[in-house]
């Protein structure tokens, strides 16, 4: 259980913004080559930490989206329910427009990630992030109406910000499709480091960094850059072996070992 000042927390959403975290795991190195859902998840998780209004709007949008999709399925057997569809459409439009805060967030990330990526790549590459909305706000209602027959056929809402994406442009190349594994990993590392800086800038506080066995997935150059960048950040590292490379780079406060499912505190 979790409590804040002795008051139990019953919803995960109540924790957003209380302790700001940046989490970096091996899966994050695939954020670029995986599907759009991974990139939306990254945007939403960070925005929900920084903006409680966005958290509320996103939760309402997702609830309305689920209700609309359920209605589309129910209409197969109850065609008369079609009369209620405009009610859900109106709410979908309202909250869909509110969560366009993603564009501002990507613009803010861009200001930070550009220089970071140049440094990591040894001034060989430039990274630009671009917001790719599924539909512009001005045409959202028209496209939602135009897609109605398709939505009824597939029982899914095909238009809206739940289909947004983020482009990773390295020197004019869309590295989601055409980038090398090295380019994708360097860009993912730049993205996570930019996330740390943006949290600092937004809340004037350094977030806690969680590194989940990510060092083993990076080559020595990227390891060095990451460790040099986080020397002044409270960091919790999980790894399979605490070698001298890590010992020599950090002032380690506590070490714990997990053996056969049990946790043991180790002496320094």
């Amino acid at each position: 259980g979790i409590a804040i000042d002795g008051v139990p927390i019953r919803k995960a959403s109540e924790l957003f913004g209380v302790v700001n975290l940046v989490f970096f795991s091996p899966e994050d190195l695939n954020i670029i080559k995986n599907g759009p859902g991974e990139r939306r998840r990254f945007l939403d998780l960070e925005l929900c930490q920084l903006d409680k209004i966005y958290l509320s709007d996103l939760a309402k949008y997702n609830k309305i989206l689920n209700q609309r999709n359920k209605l589309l399925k129910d209409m197969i057997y109850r065609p008369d329910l079609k009369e209620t569809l405009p009610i859900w459409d109106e709410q979908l439009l309202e909250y869909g427009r509110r969560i366009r805060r993603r564009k501002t967030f990507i613009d803010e990330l861009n200001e930070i990630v550009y220089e970071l990526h140049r440094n990591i790549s040894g001034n060989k590459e430039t990274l630009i992030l671009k917001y790719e909305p599924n539909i512009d706000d001005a045409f959202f209602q028209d496209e939602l109406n135009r897609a109605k027959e398709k939505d009824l056929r597939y029982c899914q809402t095909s238009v809206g910000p739940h289909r947004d994406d983020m482009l990773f442009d390295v020197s004019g190349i869309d590295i989601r499709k055409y980038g090398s594994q090295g380019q994708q990993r360097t860009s993912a590392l730049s993205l996570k480091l930019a996330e740390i800086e943006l949290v600092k800038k937004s809340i004037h506080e350094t977030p806690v960094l969680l590194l989940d066995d990510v060092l083993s997935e990076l080559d020595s150059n990227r390891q060095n850059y990451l460790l040099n960048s986080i020397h002044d950040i409270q960091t919790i590292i999980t790894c399979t072996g605490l070698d001298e490379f890590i010992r020599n780079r950090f002032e380690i406060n506590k070490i714990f070992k997990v053996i056969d499912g049990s946790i043991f505190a180790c002496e320094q």
Side-chain angles (χ1 to χ4, degrees):
I2 300 173
I4 299 174
D5 294 332
V7 179
I9 295 298
R10 293 179 173 82
K11 293 181 181 178
S13 60
E14 294 178 40
L15 285 171
F16 280 110
V18 176
V19 177
N20 285 281
L21 304 170
V22 173
F23 178 63
F24 194 11
S25 73
E27 287 73 25
D28 289 319
L29 294 170
N30 297 322
I31 193 172
I32 298 168
K33 69 178 180 182
N34 285 354
E38 285 285 325
R39 293 182 280 278
R40 285 193 300 272
R41 182 173 176 273
F42 162 77
L43 292 172
D44 290 339
L45 282 175
E46 193 50 55
L47 271 167
C48 285
Q49 278 201 100
L50 299 174
D51 188 340
K52 289 195 173 182
I53 295 175
Y54 180 87
L55 170 61
S56 174
D57 289 339
L58 179 66
K60 288 174 182 174
Y61 178 84
N62 286 333
K63 183 177 180 180
I64 292 162
L65 177 65
N66 290 333
Q67 291 282 359
R68 187 180 192 270
N69 288 340
K70 183 179 183 301
L71 177 64
L72 291 169
K73 292 174 184 175
D74 291 345
M75 283 167 55
I76 295 174
Y77 306 103
R78 294 272 312 277
D80 58 301
L81 291 173
K82 189 173 184 178
E83 295 178 7
T84 65
L85 191 58
I87 298 170
W88 295 110
D89 288 356
E90 186 178 332
Q91 294 182 71
L92 194 77
L93 290 167
E94 179 185 349
Y95 286 100
R97 287 170 177 146
R98 290 188 188 187
I99 61 176
R100 294 303 190 190
R101 167 81 170 84
R102 289 170 179 170
K103 183 182 186 306
T104 307
F105 177 71
I106 291 174
D107 290 342
E108 291 169 348
L109 268 180
N110 242 331
E111 294 178 10
I112 301 168
V113 80
Y114 184 87
E115 198 61 37
L116 277 169
H117 191 80
R118 280 190 62 188
N119 292 336
I120 297 174
S121 65
N123 292 321
K124 294 176 182 177
E125 295 178 339
T126 56
L127 171 64
I128 297 175
L129 308 176
K130 294 179 182 176
Y131 180 49
E132 289 188 333
N134 172 252
I135 189 68
D136 289 335
D137 286 348
F139 306 110
F140 192 3
Q141 185 169 8
D142 291 340
E143 286 300 315
L144 192 62
N145 290 331
R146 193 172 292 122
K148 198 160 289 184
E149 292 305 316
K150 178 183 176 182
D151 290 355
L152 287 167
R153 189 162 58 250
Y154 292 104
C155 301
Q156 289 287 326
T157 304
S158 60
V159 175
H162 58 287
R163 293 179 175 269
D164 288 353
D165 201 352
M166 176 168 57
L167 170 67
F168 289 76
D169 182 306
V170 171
S171 304
I173 298 171
D174 179 356
I175 63 166
R176 295 173 303 183
K177 302 174 183 176
Y178 307 111
S180 67
Q181 183 169 307
Q183 286 177 315
Q184 291 173 342
R185 291 195 166 200
T186 300
S187 297
L189 178 57
S190 301
L191 182 68
K192 299 305 288 191
L193 291 174
E195 183 184 351
I196 295 170
E197 293 303 315
L198 185 56
V199 172
K200 286 183 184 178
K201 181 180 175 182
S202 300
I203 65 171
H204 308 293
E205 184 179 303
T206 303
V208 175
L209 178 62
L210 308 180
L211 295 181
D212 182 16
D213 203 25
V214 76
L215 293 173
S216 62
E217 300 292 326
L218 298 172
D219 62 28
S220 59
N221 288 335
R222 295 187 186 95
Q223 281 183 348
N224 277 316
Y225 195 92
L226 174 60
L227 296 178
N228 287 337
S229 300
I230 63 173
H231 62 88
D232 60 343
I233 299 173
Q234 182 179 350
T235 305
I236 299 171
I237 300 175
T238 65
C239 53
T240 54
L242 195 66
D243 57 24
E244 293 305 311
F245 181 71
I246 296 176
R247 286 182 184 276
N248 293 336
R249 301 296 291 270
F250 285 99
E251 179 186 339
I252 298 177
N253 301 104
K254 289 187 179 180
I255 300 173
F256 298 90
K257 286 188 177 180
V258 181
I259 302 172
D260 294 330
S262 298
I263 302 175
F264 302 91
C266 302
E267 293 185 8
Q268 296 297 93

